[in-house]
Amino acid sequence: MRRRSELYQFRFQDREVLHNGRAALRLRFSKTDQLGGGRLIHISANTISALADWEDRIGSSGYILRSVSKNGAVGQRLNPASVNRILQRLQTKAGISEIGQLTGHSFRVGSALDLLEAGVPLEKICFAEVGRQSQ
C-alpha cells in the first residue's frame, strides 16, 4: 500500500534483515514522515529473491525501480509519473478498460479493498497502516 512517490525511492541498500530473520525495506521519507524518521516495510522472501536477481542483472546497488528499454537496456531510476504511464500501458495491452484508467493510487485502493474483504477493520486500514513497523 505504498504511494508511488515512495516506491521510486527504494534503493538496494535499503534492504535490512530484522532480528527475527524477516526482511524489510527502509522507507526513508514519505508524505506522512516529513522529518525523514523512516520506517521499515516488511517484504517477503520471494521479494528478497527477486531483488537479488534484479541486482545481479543490473550490477548496481542504486535505485531498484529503473527504466528498461525495448531492447532490455536498463536506464535511470523511475519517477512517480512513470508508475502511471507503465500501469496505463499494461492496462491497454491487457485490454482492460471497464474499470477506468489505472494509476499509482490503484494499488492503495485495491489493497485497502482486499484488507476490508479479509475482515480488517476500516479504522486499522485508515489510521494504523496495516503492517507498519516502526524503526
Side-chain angles (χ1 to χ4, degrees), residues 36-134:
R39 68 166 16 132
L40 293 174
I41 310 298
H42 289 275
I43 55 177
S44 70
N46 288 342
T47 301
I48 283 292
S49 177
L51 286 174
D53 291 347
W54 178 236
E55 186 175 27
D56 288 345
R57 180 174 186 283
I58 65 174
S60 173
S61 61
Y63 290 97
I64 295 171
L65 295 181
R66 313 266 188 102
S67 63
V68 179
S69 70
K70 290 181 182 181
N71 68 358
V74 178
Q76 300 299 314
R77 79 172 172 162
L78 297 179
N79 63 52
S82 301
V83 174
N84 285 353
R85 287 193 304 272
I86 292 166
L87 282 174
Q88 290 160 10
R89 251 192 324 259
L90 290 170
Q91 182 180 17
T92 299
K93 191 173 184 176
I96 302 170
S97 60
E98 63 276 358
I99 59 172
Q101 192 172 46
L102 292 176
T103 68
H105 197 68
S106 302
F107 291 127
R108 293 174 61 80
V109 172
S111 294
L113 290 173
D114 288 345
L115 290 168
L116 278 173
E117 288 179 4
V120 176
L122 183 60
E123 297 79 20
K124 189 169 185 178
I125 296 169
C126 292
F127 301 109
E129 296 191 54
V130 173
R132 176 183 177 174
Q133 286 291 327
S134 298

Side-chain angles (χ1 to χ4, degrees), residues 7-65:
L7 292 174
Y8 85 100
Q9 295 180 54
F10 287 119
R11 301 174 189 181
F12 288 104
Q13 54 267 38
D14 292 332
R15 291 175 292 189
E16 296 190 24
V17 177
L18 306 176
H19 65 278
N20 61 4
R22 294 185 61 197
L25 282 174
R26 179 162 298 281
L27 179 63
R28 297 171 186 268
F29 178 84
S30 73
K31 178 180 175 181
T32 57
D33 179 20
Q34 295 289 309
L35 299 178
R39 68 166 16 132
L40 293 174
I41 310 298
H42 289 275
I43 55 177
S44 70
N46 288 342
T47 301
I48 283 292
S49 177
L51 286 174
D53 291 347
W54 178 236
E55 186 175 27
D56 288 345
R57 180 174 186 283
I58 65 174
S60 173
S61 61
Y63 290 97
I64 295 171
L65 295 181

